[in-house]
Coordinates of all heavy atoms in Angstrom, one line a residue:
M1 N -13.7 -8.0 7.6 CA -12.7 -6.8 7.1 C -12.7 -5.8 8.3 O -11.6 -5.4 8.6 CB -13.4 -6.2 5.9 CG -12.5 -5.3 5.2 SD -10.9 -6.1 4.7 CE -10.3 -4.9 3.5
S2 N -13.8 -5.4 8.9 CA -13.7 -4.4 10.0 C -13.0 -5.0 11.1 O -12.3 -4.1 11.9 CB -15.1 -3.9 10.3 OG -15.7 -5.0 10.9
R3 N -12.9 -6.3 11.4 CA -12.3 -6.8 12.6 C -10.8 -6.6 12.4 O -10.0 -6.3 13.1 CB -12.6 -8.2 12.7 CG -12.1 -8.8 13.9 CD -12.7 -10.3 14.4 NE -13.0 -11.0 13.1 CZ -13.2 -12.2 13.1 NH1 -13.1 -12.9 14.1 NH2 -13.6 -12.9 11.9
Y4 N -10.4 -7.0 11.0 CA -9.0 -6.9 10.7 C -8.5 -5.4 10.8 O -7.5 -5.1 11.3 CB -8.8 -7.4 9.3 CG -7.5 -7.0 8.8 CD1 -6.4 -7.6 9.3 CD2 -7.2 -6.0 7.8 CE1 -5.1 -7.4 8.7 CE2 -6.0 -5.7 7.4 CZ -4.9 -6.4 7.8 OH -3.7 -6.1 7.3
Q5 N -9.3 -4.6 10.4 CA -9.0 -3.1 10.4 C -8.9 -2.6 11.9 O -7.9 -1.8 12.2 CB -10.0 -2.1 9.7 CG -9.9 -2.4 8.1 CD -11.0 -1.6 7.5 OE1 -12.0 -1.5 7.9 NE2 -10.8 -1.3 6.2
K6 N -9.7 -3.1 12.7 CA -9.5 -2.7 14.1 C -8.1 -3.3 14.7 O -7.4 -2.5 15.4 CB -10.6 -3.3 15.0 CG -11.7 -2.3 15.6 CD -12.6 -2.9 16.3 CE -14.0 -2.3 16.2 NZ -15.0 -3.2 16.7
M7 N -7.9 -4.4 14.3 CA -6.7 -4.9 14.9 C -5.3 -4.2 14.4 O -4.5 -3.9 15.1 CB -6.5 -6.5 14.6 CG -7.3 -7.5 15.4 SD -7.3 -9.0 14.8 CE -5.5 -9.4 14.9
S8 N -5.5 -4.0 13.1 CA -4.3 -3.4 12.5 C -4.2 -1.9 12.8 O -3.1 -1.3 13.0 CB -4.3 -3.6 10.9 OG -5.5 -2.8 10.4
L9 N -5.2 -1.3 13.2 CA -5.1 0.1 13.7 C -4.4 0.2 15.0 O -3.7 1.1 15.3 CB -6.7 0.7 13.9 CG -6.8 2.1 14.2 CD1 -6.2 2.9 13.1 CD2 -8.1 2.6 14.6
V10 N -4.7 -0.8 15.8 CA -3.9 -0.7 17.1 C -2.4 -0.9 16.9 O -1.6 -0.1 17.4 CB -4.4 -1.8 18.1 CG1 -3.6 -1.8 19.4 CG2 -5.9 -1.6 18.5
S11 N -2.0 -1.9 16.1 CA -0.6 -2.2 15.9 C 0.0 -1.1 15.0 O 1.1 -0.6 15.2 CB -0.4 -3.4 15.3 OG -1.0 -3.6 14.1
F12 N -0.9 -0.5 14.3 CA -0.3 0.6 13.3 C 0.1 1.8 14.1 O 0.9 2.5 13.9 CB -1.4 1.0 12.3 CG -1.5 2.3 11.9 CD1 -0.4 2.9 11.2 CD2 -2.7 3.1 12.0 CE1 -0.5 4.3 10.7 CE2 -2.7 4.3 11.6 CZ -1.6 4.9 11.0
Q13 N -0.8 2.1 15.1 CA -0.5 3.4 15.9 C 0.8 3.2 16.8 O 1.5 4.1 17.1 CB -1.8 3.7 17.0 CG -3.0 4.3 16.2 CD -4.2 4.3 17.0 OE1 -4.4 3.5 17.9 NE2 -5.0 5.2 16.7
K14 N 0.9 1.9 17.2 CA 2.1 1.6 18.0 C 3.4 1.8 17.1 O 4.5 2.2 17.5 CB 2.1 0.2 18.6 CG 1.4 0.2 19.8 CD 1.5 -1.2 20.4 CE 0.5 -1.5 21.5 NZ 0.3 -2.9 21.8
Q15 N 3.4 1.3 15.9 CA 4.5 1.2 15.0 C 4.5 2.3 13.9 O 5.4 2.1 12.9 CB 4.5 -0.1 14.4 CG 4.6 -1.2 15.4 CD 4.4 -2.4 14.8 OE1 4.6 -2.7 13.6 NE2 3.8 -3.5 15.5
F16 N 3.8 3.3 14.0 CA 3.7 4.3 13.0 C 5.1 5.0 12.6 O 5.3 5.4 11.5 CB 2.6 5.3 13.1 CG 2.5 6.3 12.0 CD1 2.0 5.6 10.8 CD2 2.5 7.6 12.1 CE1 1.8 6.4 9.7 CE2 2.2 8.3 11.0 CZ 1.9 7.9 9.7
S17 N 5.9 4.9 13.6 CA 7.2 5.6 13.4 C 8.2 4.8 12.5 O 9.0 5.3 12.0 CB 7.9 5.8 14.6 OG 8.0 4.7 15.5
T18 N 7.9 3.5 12.4 CA 8.7 2.7 11.5 C 8.4 3.0 10.1 O 7.1 3.3 9.7 CB 8.6 1.3 11.8 OG1 7.3 0.8 11.4 CG2 8.7 1.0 13.2
E19 N 9.3 2.7 9.1 CA 9.0 3.0 7.7 C 8.0 2.0 7.2 O 7.2 2.4 6.3 CB 10.4 2.7 7.1 CG 10.4 3.5 5.7 CD 11.9 3.6 5.2 OE1 12.7 3.8 6.0 OE2 11.9 3.3 4.1
E20 N 8.1 0.8 7.7 CA 7.1 -0.2 7.2 C 5.8 0.0 7.6 O 4.7 -0.1 6.7 CB 7.5 -1.6 7.8 CG 7.1 -2.8 7.0 CD 7.8 -4.0 7.3 OE1 9.0 -4.1 7.3 OE2 7.1 -4.9 7.6
A21 N 5.4 0.5 8.8 CA 4.2 1.0 9.0 C 3.6 2.1 8.3 O 2.5 2.3 8.0 CB 4.1 1.2 10.6
C22 N 4.5 3.0 8.0 CA 4.1 4.1 7.2 C 3.7 3.7 5.8 O 2.7 4.1 5.4 CB 5.4 5.1 7.0 SG 5.1 6.6 6.3
H23 N 4.5 2.8 5.1 CA 4.0 2.2 3.9 C 2.7 1.5 4.0 O 1.8 1.7 3.1 CB 5.1 1.3 3.4 CG 6.2 1.9 2.7 ND1 6.1 2.8 1.7 CD2 7.6 1.7 3.1 CE1 7.3 3.1 1.5 NE2 8.2 2.6 2.2
D24 N 2.5 0.8 5.1 CA 1.1 0.2 5.3 C 0.1 1.1 5.4 O -1.0 0.9 4.8 CB 1.4 -0.6 6.6 CG 0.2 -1.7 6.8 OD1 0.0 -2.4 5.8 OD2 -0.3 -1.7 7.9
H25 N 0.3 2.3 6.1 CA -0.8 3.3 6.2 C -1.0 3.9 4.8 O -2.2 4.1 4.5 CB -0.1 4.2 7.1 CG -1.1 5.5 7.3 ND1 -2.4 5.4 7.9 CD2 -0.9 6.8 6.9 CE1 -3.0 6.5 7.8 NE2 -2.1 7.4 7.3
L26 N 0.0 4.1 4.0 CA -0.1 4.6 2.8 C -0.9 3.8 1.8 O -1.8 4.3 1.0 CB 1.2 5.2 2.2 CG 2.0 6.2 2.9 CD1 3.3 6.5 2.4 CD2 1.2 7.6 2.9
F27 N -0.5 2.6 1.9 CA -1.1 1.5 1.2 C -2.7 1.6 1.4 O -3.5 1.5 0.4 CB -0.7 0.2 1.4 CG -1.2 -1.0 0.7 CD1 -0.6 -1.4 -0.5 CD2 -2.5 -1.6 1.1 CE1 -1.2 -2.4 -1.3 CE2 -3.0 -2.6 0.3 CZ -2.4 -3.1 -0.9
K28 N -3.2 1.7 2.6 CA -4.5 1.8 2.9 C -5.2 2.9 2.6 O -6.4 3.1 2.1 CB -4.7 1.5 4.5 CG -4.5 0.0 4.8 CD -4.4 -0.2 6.4 CE -4.1 -1.7 6.6 NZ -3.5 -1.8 8.0
L29 N -4.5 4.1 2.5 CA -5.0 5.3 2.1 C -5.3 5.1 0.4 O -6.3 5.7 0.0 CB -4.0 6.5 2.2 CG -3.9 7.0 3.7 CD1 -2.8 8.2 3.7 CD2 -5.2 7.6 4.1
K30 N -4.4 4.5 -0.2 CA -4.5 4.4 -1.6 C -5.5 3.3 -2.0 O -6.3 3.6 -2.9 CB -3.1 4.1 -2.3 CG -3.1 4.1 -3.8 CD -1.7 4.3 -4.3 CE -1.8 4.2 -5.8 NZ -0.5 4.7 -6.2
W31 N -5.4 2.2 -1.4 CA -6.3 1.1 -1.6 C -7.2 0.7 -0.3 O -6.7 -0.4 0.2 CB -5.6 0.0 -2.1 CG -5.0 0.2 -3.5 CD1 -5.5 0.5 -4.7 CD2 -3.5 0.3 -3.7 NE1 -4.6 0.6 -5.6 CE2 -3.3 0.5 -5.2 CE3 -2.4 0.1 -2.9 CZ2 -2.2 0.5 -5.8 CZ3 -1.1 0.1 -3.5 CH2 -0.9 0.4 -5.0
A32 N -8.1 1.4 -0.1 CA -8.9 1.2 1.3 C -9.5 -0.1 1.1 O -9.7 -0.7 2.1 CB -9.9 2.4 1.4
D33 N -9.9 -0.5 0.1 CA -10.7 -1.9 0.0 C -9.7 -3.0 -0.5 O -10.3 -4.0 -1.0 CB -11.8 -1.7 -1.0 CG -12.8 -0.7 -0.5 OD1 -13.1 -0.7 0.6 OD2 -13.4 0.1 -1.4
G34 N -8.4 -2.7 -0.4 CA -7.6 -3.7 -0.9 C -7.0 -3.3 -2.2 O -7.5 -2.5 -2.9
Y35 N -5.9 -3.9 -2.5 CA -5.1 -3.5 -3.8 C -6.0 -3.6 -5.0 O -6.8 -4.7 -5.2 CB -3.9 -4.4 -4.0 CG -3.2 -4.2 -5.3 CD1 -2.4 -3.1 -5.5 CD2 -3.5 -5.2 -6.3 CE1 -1.8 -2.9 -6.8 CE2 -2.8 -5.0 -7.6 CZ -2.0 -3.9 -7.8 OH -1.4 -3.8 -9.0
S36 N -5.9 -2.7 -5.9 CA -6.7 -2.9 -7.2 C -5.8 -2.2 -8.3 O -5.5 -1.0 -8.1 CB -8.0 -2.2 -7.1 OG -8.6 -2.0 -8.3
C37 N -5.5 -2.8 -9.2 CA -4.6 -2.3 -10.3 C -5.2 -1.2 -11.0 O -6.4 -1.1 -11.3 CB -4.4 -3.4 -11.4 SG -3.2 -2.8 -12.8
E38 N -4.4 0.0 -11.1 CA -4.9 1.1 -11.7 C -5.2 1.0 -13.1 O -6.0 1.8 -13.7 CB -3.9 2.4 -11.5 CG -3.9 2.7 -10.0 CD -2.7 3.6 -9.8 OE1 -2.2 4.4 -10.6 OE2 -2.0 3.5 -8.6
K39 N -4.6 0.0 -13.7 CA -4.7 -0.2 -15.2 C -5.9 -1.2 -15.6 O -6.7 -1.0 -16.5 CB -3.4 -0.6 -15.8 CG -2.4 0.5 -15.9 CD -2.0 0.9 -17.3 CE -1.4 2.1 -17.3 NZ -0.6 2.2 -18.5
C40 N -5.8 -2.2 -14.9 CA -6.8 -3.3 -15.3 C -7.7 -3.8 -14.3 O -8.6 -4.6 -14.5 CB -5.9 -4.6 -15.7 SG -5.2 -5.5 -14.5
G41 N -7.5 -3.3 -13.0 CA -8.4 -3.7 -12.1 C -8.1 -4.9 -11.3 O -9.0 -5.3 -10.4
H42 N -7.1 -5.6 -11.6 CA -6.8 -6.9 -11.0 C -6.4 -6.7 -9.6 O -6.0 -5.7 -9.2 CB -5.6 -7.6 -11.8 CG -5.5 -9.0 -11.5 ND1 -6.4 -9.9 -11.7 CD2 -4.3 -9.6 -10.8 CE1 -5.8 -11.1 -11.3 NE2 -4.7 -10.9 -10.8
N43 N -6.7 -7.8 -8.7 CA -6.5 -7.4 -7.3 C -5.4 -8.3 -6.5 O -5.5 -8.3 -5.3 CB -7.9 -7.6 -6.6 CG -8.3 -8.9 -6.7 OD1 -7.8 -9.9 -7.3 ND2 -9.6 -9.2 -6.1
T44 N -4.5 -8.8 -7.4 CA -3.4 -9.5 -6.7 C -2.1 -8.9 -7.2 O -2.0 -8.3 -8.4 CB -3.3 -11.0 -6.9 OG1 -3.5 -11.3 -8.2 CG2 -4.5 -11.7 -6.2
Y45 N -1.1 -8.8 -6.5 CA 0.2 -8.1 -6.9 C 1.4 -8.7 -6.2 O 1.3 -9.5 -5.4 CB 0.1 -6.6 -6.4 CG -0.1 -6.5 -4.9 CD1 1.0 -6.4 -4.0 CD2 -1.3 -6.7 -4.2 CE1 0.9 -6.2 -2.7 CE2 -1.5 -6.5 -2.8 CZ -0.3 -6.4 -2.2 OH -0.5 -6.4 -0.7
F46 N 2.6 -8.5 -6.7 CA 3.7 -8.8 -6.2 C 4.3 -7.4 -5.5 O 4.2 -6.3 -6.1 CB 4.9 -9.0 -7.2 CG 4.4 -10.3 -8.1 CD1 4.1 -10.2 -9.4 CD2 4.6 -11.6 -7.5 CE1 3.7 -11.3 -10.1 CE2 4.2 -12.8 -8.2 CZ 3.9 -12.6 -9.5
E47 N 4.8 -7.6 -4.3 CA 5.3 -6.6 -3.7 C 6.8 -6.5 -3.5 O 7.5 -7.5 -3.3 CB 4.8 -6.4 -2.1 CG 5.1 -5.3 -1.3 CD 4.6 -5.3 0.1 OE1 3.7 -6.1 0.4 OE2 5.0 -4.5 1.0
T48 N 7.4 -5.4 -3.9 CA 8.9 -5.3 -4.1 C 9.2 -4.1 -3.1 O 8.7 -3.0 -3.4 CB 9.3 -5.0 -5.4 OG1 8.8 -6.0 -6.3 CG2 10.8 -5.1 -5.6
K49 N 10.2 -4.4 -2.3 CA 10.5 -3.4 -1.4 C 11.9 -2.8 -1.9 O 12.9 -3.5 -2.2 CB 10.7 -3.8 0.1 CG 9.4 -4.2 0.5 CD 9.4 -4.4 1.9 CE 8.0 -4.9 2.5 NZ 8.0 -4.9 3.9
T50 N 12.0 -1.4 -2.1 CA 13.2 -0.9 -2.6 C 13.6 0.1 -1.4 O 13.0 0.1 -0.3 CB 12.9 0.1 -3.8 OG1 12.1 1.1 -3.6 CG2 12.5 -0.8 -5.0
R51 N 14.7 0.7 -1.5 CA 15.3 1.6 -0.4 C 14.2 2.7 -0.1 O 14.0 3.0 1.0 CB 16.5 2.2 -0.8 CG 17.7 1.4 -0.2 CD 19.1 2.0 -0.5 NE 19.9 1.0 -1.4 CZ 20.9 1.5 -2.2 NH1 21.2 2.8 -2.3 NH2 21.6 0.7 -2.8
K52 N 13.7 3.3 -1.1 CA 13.0 4.4 -0.8 C 11.3 4.1 -0.9 O 10.6 4.9 -0.1 CB 13.1 5.5 -2.0 CG 14.5 6.0 -1.9 CD 14.6 7.5 -2.0 CE 15.8 8.1 -1.6 NZ 16.0 9.5 -1.7
H53 N 10.9 3.2 -1.7 CA 9.4 3.0 -1.5 C 9.1 1.6 -2.0 O 9.9 0.8 -2.5 CB 8.7 4.0 -2.4 CG 9.4 4.2 -3.8 ND1 9.6 5.5 -4.4 CD2 9.8 3.4 -4.8 CE1 10.2 5.4 -5.4 NE2 10.3 4.2 -5.7
N54 N 7.9 1.2 -1.7 CA 7.5 -0.1 -2.1 C 6.7 -0.2 -3.5 O 6.2 0.8 -3.8 CB 6.4 -0.7 -1.1 CG 6.8 -1.0 0.2 OD1 8.1 -0.5 0.6 ND2 6.2 -1.7 1.1
L55 N 7.1 -1.1 -4.2 CA 6.5 -1.2 -5.5 C 5.4 -2.2 -5.5 O 5.6 -3.4 -4.9 CB 7.6 -1.6 -6.6 CG 8.4 -0.7 -7.1 CD1 9.3 -1.3 -8.1 CD2 7.4 0.3 -7.8
Y56 N 4.3 -2.1 -6.1 CA 3.2 -3.1 -6.1 C 2.9 -3.3 -7.6 O 2.4 -2.5 -8.3 CB 2.0 -2.5 -5.5 CG 2.2 -2.2 -3.9 CD1 2.5 -0.9 -3.6 CD2 2.2 -3.2 -2.9 CE1 2.7 -0.5 -2.2 CE2 2.4 -2.9 -1.6 CZ 2.7 -1.7 -1.3 OH 3.0 -1.3 0.1
E57 N 3.4 -4.5 -8.0 CA 3.3 -4.9 -9.3 C 2.1 -5.8 -9.6 O 2.0 -6.8 -9.0 CB 4.5 -5.6 -9.9 CG 4.6 -5.8 -11.3 CD 5.9 -6.6 -11.7 OE1 6.7 -6.3 -11.2 OE2 5.8 -7.3 -12.7
C58 N 1.1 -5.4 -10.5 CA 0.1 -6.1 -10.8 C 0.5 -7.6 -11.5 O 1.3 -7.7 -12.3 CB -0.8 -5.5 -11.9 SG -2.2 -6.3 -12.5
K59 N -0.2 -8.6 -10.9 CA 0.3 -10.0 -11.5 C -0.4 -10.3 -12.8 O 0.1 -11.1 -13.5 CB -0.5 -11.1 -10.5 CG 0.4 -11.2 -9.2 CD 0.1 -12.5 -8.3 CE 0.8 -12.6 -7.1 NZ 0.4 -13.7 -6.4
K60 N -1.2 -9.4 -13.2 CA -1.9 -9.7 -14.5 C -1.2 -8.9 -15.6 O -0.8 -9.5 -16.5 CB -3.3 -9.4 -14.4 CG -4.2 -10.0 -15.6 CD -5.8 -9.6 -15.3 CE -6.5 -10.3 -16.3 NZ -7.9 -9.9 -16.1
C61 N -1.2 -7.6 -15.4 CA -0.7 -6.8 -16.5 C 0.8 -6.1 -16.1 O 1.4 -5.4 -17.1 CB -1.6 -5.7 -16.9 SG -1.7 -4.3 -15.6
R62 N 1.2 -6.5 -14.9 CA 2.6 -6.0 -14.5 C 2.7 -4.5 -14.4 O 3.9 -4.0 -14.4 CB 3.7 -6.5 -15.5 CG 3.5 -8.1 -15.7 CD 4.9 -8.6 -15.7 NE 5.0 -9.8 -15.0 CZ 6.2 -10.5 -14.8 NH1 7.3 -9.9 -15.4 NH2 6.3 -11.5 -14.0
Y63 N 1.7 -3.9 -14.2 CA 1.7 -2.4 -14.0 C 2.3 -2.1 -12.6 O 1.8 -2.8 -11.7 CB 0.3 -1.8 -14.2 CG 0.3 -0.4 -13.8 CD1 0.9 0.7 -14.7 CD2 -0.2 0.1 -12.5 CE1 0.8 2.0 -14.2 CE2 -0.2 1.5 -12.1 CZ 0.2 2.4 -13.0 OH 0.3 3.7 -12.6
Q64 N 3.3 -1.3 -12.5 CA 3.8 -1.0 -11.2 C 3.3 0.3 -10.6 O 3.5 1.3 -11.1 CB 5.4 -1.0 -11.3 CG 5.9 -2.4 -11.8 CD 7.4 -2.3 -11.8 OE1 8.0 -1.3 -12.1 NE2 8.1 -3.3 -11.5
A65 N 2.8 0.0 -9.4 CA 2.3 1.2 -8.7 C 3.2 1.4 -7.5 O 3.7 0.4 -6.8 CB 0.8 1.0 -8.2
T66 N 3.4 2.7 -7.2 CA 4.3 2.9 -6.0 C 3.4 3.7 -4.9 O 2.4 4.3 -5.3 CB 5.4 3.9 -6.4 OG1 5.0 5.1 -7.0 CG2 6.5 3.1 -7.2
V67 N 3.8 3.5 -3.7 CA 3.2 4.2 -2.6 C 4.1 4.9 -1.9 O 5.0 4.5 -1.1 CB 2.5 3.1 -1.7 CG1 1.8 4.0 -0.4 CG2 1.4 2.3 -2.4
T68 N 4.1 6.4 -2.2 CA 5.1 7.1 -1.6 C 4.5 8.4 -0.9 O 3.3 8.6 -1.3 CB 6.2 7.7 -2.5 OG1 5.5 8.6 -3.6 CG2 7.0 6.6 -3.3
V69 N 5.1 9.1 0.0 CA 4.4 10.0 0.7 C 4.0 11.2 -0.4 O 3.0 11.7 -0.5 CB 5.4 10.7 1.6 CG1 4.8 12.0 2.3 CG2 5.6 9.6 2.9
G70 N 4.9 11.4 -1.3 CA 4.7 12.5 -2.3 C 3.5 12.2 -3.1 O 2.7 13.0 -3.5
T71 N 3.4 10.8 -3.6 CA 2.3 10.6 -4.3 C 1.0 10.8 -3.6 O 0.0 11.3 -4.2 CB 2.5 9.1 -4.9 OG1 3.7 8.9 -5.4 CG2 1.2 8.7 -5.8
V72 N 0.9 10.3 -2.5 CA -0.3 10.4 -1.7 C -0.7 11.8 -1.5 O -1.9 12.2 -1.6 CB -0.1 9.7 -0.3 CG1 -1.4 9.9 0.4 CG2 -0.1 8.1 -0.6
M73 N 0.3 12.6 -1.1 CA 0.1 14.0 -0.8 C -0.5 14.8 -2.1 O -1.4 15.5 -2.1 CB 1.2 14.8 -0.3 CG 1.8 14.2 1.0 SD 0.8 14.5 2.4 CE 1.3 16.1 2.9
E74 N 0.0 14.4 -3.2 CA -0.3 15.1 -4.5 C -1.8 14.7 -4.7 O -2.5 15.6 -5.2 CB 0.5 14.6 -5.5 CG 1.8 15.4 -5.7 CD 2.8 14.8 -6.6 OE1 2.4 14.3 -7.6 OE2 4.0 14.9 -6.3
K75 N -2.2 13.5 -4.5 CA -3.4 13.1 -4.8 C -4.5 13.5 -3.9 O -5.6 13.6 -4.3 CB -3.5 11.6 -5.0 CG -2.7 11.0 -6.1 CD -3.1 9.6 -6.4 CE -2.5 9.2 -7.8 NZ -2.8 7.8 -8.1
T76 N -4.2 13.6 -2.6 CA -5.2 14.0 -1.6 C -5.4 15.3 -1.4 O -6.4 15.9 -0.9 CB -5.0 13.1 -0.2 OG1 -3.6 13.5 0.1 CG2 -5.1 11.6 -0.4
I77 N -4.4 16.1 -1.6 CA -4.4 17.7 -1.3 C -4.7 18.3 -2.6 O -4.1 18.0 -3.6 CB -3.3 18.1 -0.6 CG1 -3.1 17.6 0.8 CG2 -3.3 19.6 -0.4 CD1 -1.8 17.7 1.7
Ligands
LIG1 ZN1 -3.1 -4.7 -13.8

């Protein structure tokens, strides 16, 4: 896990200006240990990309979580 994080950190710093890298960063802020459904705790999901944000839909209960700047800011500050 730590090896992966090191590798992704390097590429993440290079590409942080892209929207995709931003989502990736926010995903890690929200799910530092990997995706976990907020409702049922399941750890696999479908990823759907929309114009404004990515949707992470739980494969088990179909709960849809979003990772947006606003959401993260509200939760962390
Ligand atoms: Zn779920």
